[in-house]
Coordinates of all heavy atoms in Angstrom, one line a residue:
D29 N 0.9 -1.2 0.0 CA 0.0 0.0 0.0 C 0.9 1.2 0.0 O 1.7 1.4 0.9 CB -0.9 0.0 1.2 CG -2.0 1.0 1.2 OD1 -1.7 2.1 0.7 OD2 -3.0 0.8 1.8
V30 N 0.7 2.1 -1.0 CA 1.5 3.3 -1.1 C 1.4 4.2 0.2 O 2.3 4.9 0.5 CB 1.2 4.1 -2.3 CG1 -0.2 4.8 -2.2 CG2 2.2 5.2 -2.6
R31 N 0.3 4.1 0.9 CA 0.1 4.9 2.1 C 1.1 4.4 3.2 O 1.6 5.3 4.0 CB -1.3 4.8 2.6 CG -2.4 5.4 1.7 CD -3.8 5.2 2.2 NE -4.1 3.7 2.0 CZ -5.3 3.2 2.2 NH1 -6.3 4.0 2.6 NH2 -5.6 1.9 2.0
V32 N 1.4 3.2 3.2 CA 2.4 2.7 4.2 C 3.8 3.2 3.8 O 4.6 3.6 4.6 CB 2.4 1.1 4.3 CG1 3.5 0.6 5.2 CG2 1.0 0.7 4.8
R33 N 4.1 3.1 2.5 CA 5.4 3.5 2.0 C 5.6 5.0 2.3 O 6.7 5.5 2.7 CB 5.6 3.2 0.5 CG 5.5 1.7 0.2 CD 6.0 1.4 -1.2 NE 5.3 2.0 -2.2 CZ 4.2 1.5 -2.8 NH1 3.7 0.4 -2.4 NH2 3.6 2.2 -3.8
R34 N 4.6 5.8 2.0 CA 4.7 7.3 2.2 C 4.7 7.6 3.7 O 5.4 8.5 4.1 CB 3.5 8.0 1.5 CG 3.7 9.5 1.4 CD 2.7 10.1 0.6 NE 2.6 9.7 -0.8 CZ 3.5 10.1 -1.7 NH1 4.5 11.0 -1.4 NH2 3.4 9.7 -3.0
A35 N 4.1 6.8 4.5 CA 4.1 7.0 6.0 C 5.6 6.8 6.5 O 6.0 7.6 7.3 CB 3.2 6.1 6.7
V36 N 6.2 5.8 5.9 CA 7.6 5.6 6.3 C 8.5 6.8 5.9 O 9.3 7.3 6.7 CB 8.2 4.3 5.6 CG1 9.7 4.2 5.8 CG2 7.5 3.1 6.2
A37 N 8.2 7.4 4.7 CA 9.0 8.6 4.3 C 8.7 9.7 5.2 O 9.7 10.5 5.6 CB 8.6 8.9 2.9
Y38 N 7.5 10.0 5.6 CA 7.1 11.1 6.5 C 7.7 10.9 7.9 O 8.0 11.8 8.6 CB 5.6 11.2 6.6 CG 5.0 12.0 5.5 CD1 3.9 11.5 4.8 CD2 5.4 13.3 5.2 CE1 3.2 12.2 3.8 CE2 4.8 14.0 4.1 CZ 3.7 13.4 3.5 OH 3.1 14.1 2.5
A39 N 7.9 9.6 8.3 CA 8.2 9.3 9.7 C 9.7 9.5 10.0 O 10.1 9.6 11.2 CB 7.8 7.9 10.1
I40 N 10.5 9.6 9.0 CA 12.0 9.7 9.2 C 12.4 11.1 9.2 O 12.3 11.8 8.2 CB 12.7 8.8 8.2 CG1 12.3 7.4 8.2 CG2 14.2 8.9 8.4 CD1 12.8 6.5 7.1
D41 N 13.0 11.6 10.3 CA 13.6 12.9 10.4 C 14.9 13.0 9.8 O 16.0 12.9 10.5 CB 13.6 13.3 11.9 CG 13.9 14.8 12.1 OD1 14.3 15.5 11.1 OD2 13.8 15.3 13.3
R42 N 15.0 13.2 8.5 CA 16.2 13.1 7.8 C 17.2 14.2 8.1 O 18.4 14.0 8.1 CB 16.0 13.0 6.3 CG 15.2 11.7 5.9 CD 15.0 11.6 4.4 NE 14.1 12.6 3.9 CZ 14.0 13.0 2.6 NH1 14.7 12.4 1.7 NH2 13.1 13.9 2.2
R43 N 16.7 15.4 8.4 CA 17.6 16.5 8.8 C 18.3 16.1 10.1 O 19.5 16.4 10.2 CB 16.8 17.8 8.9 CG 16.2 18.3 7.6 CD 15.6 19.7 7.8 NE 14.8 20.0 6.6 CZ 15.4 20.5 5.5 NH1 16.7 20.7 5.5 NH2 14.7 20.8 4.4
K44 N 17.6 15.6 11.0 CA 18.2 15.2 12.3 C 19.2 14.0 12.1 O 20.3 14.0 12.7 CB 17.2 14.8 13.3 CG 17.7 14.5 14.7 CD 16.6 14.2 15.7 CE 17.2 13.9 17.1 NZ 16.1 13.6 18.1
L45 N 18.8 13.1 11.2 CA 19.7 12.0 10.9 C 21.0 12.5 10.3 O 22.1 12.1 10.7 CB 19.0 11.1 9.9 CG 19.8 10.0 9.2 CD1 20.3 9.0 10.3 CD2 19.0 9.2 8.2
I46 N 21.0 13.5 9.4 CA 22.2 14.1 8.8 C 23.0 14.8 9.9 O 24.2 14.6 10.0 CB 21.8 15.0 7.7 CG1 21.3 14.2 6.5 CG2 23.1 15.8 7.3 CD1 20.7 15.1 5.4
A47 N 22.3 15.5 10.8 CA 23.0 16.3 11.8 C 23.7 15.4 12.9 O 24.8 15.6 13.3 CB 22.1 17.3 12.5
S48 N 23.0 14.3 13.3 CA 23.4 13.5 14.4 C 24.4 12.4 13.9 O 25.5 12.2 14.4 CB 22.3 12.9 15.1 OG 21.4 12.1 14.3
V49 N 23.9 11.6 13.0 CA 24.7 10.4 12.5 C 25.8 10.8 11.6 O 27.0 10.4 11.7 CB 23.8 9.3 11.9 CG1 24.6 8.2 11.3 CG2 22.8 8.8 12.9
M50 N 25.5 11.7 10.6 CA 26.4 12.1 9.6 C 27.2 13.4 10.0 O 28.1 13.8 9.2 CB 25.7 12.4 8.3 CG 24.8 11.2 7.8 SD 25.8 9.7 7.7 CE 26.9 10.1 6.4
H51 N 27.0 13.9 11.1 CA 27.7 15.1 11.6 C 27.6 16.3 10.5 O 28.6 17.0 10.3 CB 29.2 14.8 11.9 CG 29.3 13.6 12.8 ND1 28.9 13.7 14.2 CD2 29.8 12.4 12.6 CE1 29.1 12.5 14.7 NE2 29.7 11.7 13.8
G52 N 26.5 16.4 9.9 CA 26.3 17.4 8.9 C 26.8 17.1 7.5 O 26.6 17.9 6.6
S53 N 27.5 16.0 7.3 CA 28.1 15.7 6.0 C 27.1 14.9 5.1 O 27.3 13.8 4.7 CB 29.3 14.8 6.2 OG 30.3 15.6 6.9
G54 N 26.0 15.6 4.8 CA 25.0 15.0 3.9 C 24.0 16.0 3.5 O 23.9 17.1 4.1
T55 N 23.3 15.7 2.4 CA 22.3 16.7 1.9 C 21.0 15.9 1.7 O 21.0 14.7 1.5 CB 22.7 17.4 0.6 OG1 23.0 16.3 -0.4 CG2 24.0 18.2 0.8
L56 N 19.8 16.6 1.6 CA 18.5 16.1 1.4 C 18.3 16.1 -0.1 O 18.5 17.2 -0.8 CB 17.4 16.8 2.1 CG 17.4 16.6 3.6 CD1 16.3 17.4 4.2 CD2 17.4 15.2 4.0
H57 N 17.7 15.1 -0.7 CA 17.4 15.0 -2.1 C 16.4 13.9 -2.3 O 16.7 12.7 -2.0 CB 18.7 14.8 -2.9 CG 18.5 14.4 -4.3 ND1 18.0 15.3 -5.2 CD2 18.7 13.3 -5.0 CE1 17.9 14.7 -6.4 NE2 18.3 13.5 -6.3
D58 N 15.3 14.2 -2.9 CA 14.3 13.2 -3.3 C 14.5 12.9 -4.8 O 14.8 13.8 -5.6 CB 12.9 13.6 -3.0 CG 12.6 13.5 -1.5 OD1 13.3 12.9 -0.8 OD2 11.5 14.1 -1.1
G59 N 14.2 11.7 -5.2 CA 14.3 11.4 -6.6 C 15.5 10.5 -6.9 O 16.4 10.4 -6.1
P60 N 15.5 9.8 -8.0 CA 16.4 8.7 -8.2 C 17.7 9.1 -8.9 O 18.6 8.3 -9.0 CB 15.6 7.7 -9.2 CG 14.8 8.7 -10.0 CD 14.4 9.8 -9.0
V61 N 17.8 10.3 -9.4 CA 19.0 10.6 -10.2 C 20.0 11.6 -9.5 O 19.6 12.2 -8.5 CB 18.6 11.3 -11.6 CG1 17.7 10.3 -12.3 CG2 18.0 12.6 -11.4

């Protein structure tokens, strides 16, 4: 169900992930290319 997949996307705080795990060494980008 696409609603479950989209819920997973909404549930992950990617900015915090980049700041905490990656120490800022990452960028946000949606899309495959």
Side-chain angles (χ1 to χ4, degrees):
D29 189 329
V30 68
R31 292 172 293 186
V32 174
R33 300 194 299 273
R34 196 172 296 283
V36 169
Y38 277 128
I40 301 172
D41 189 348
R42 294 183 292 166
R43 294 188 188 278
K44 185 175 180 181
L45 173 60
I46 291 170
S48 58
V49 173
M50 305 305 295
H51 308 293
S53 294
T55 58
L56 291 182
H57 168 68
D58 285 347
V61 303

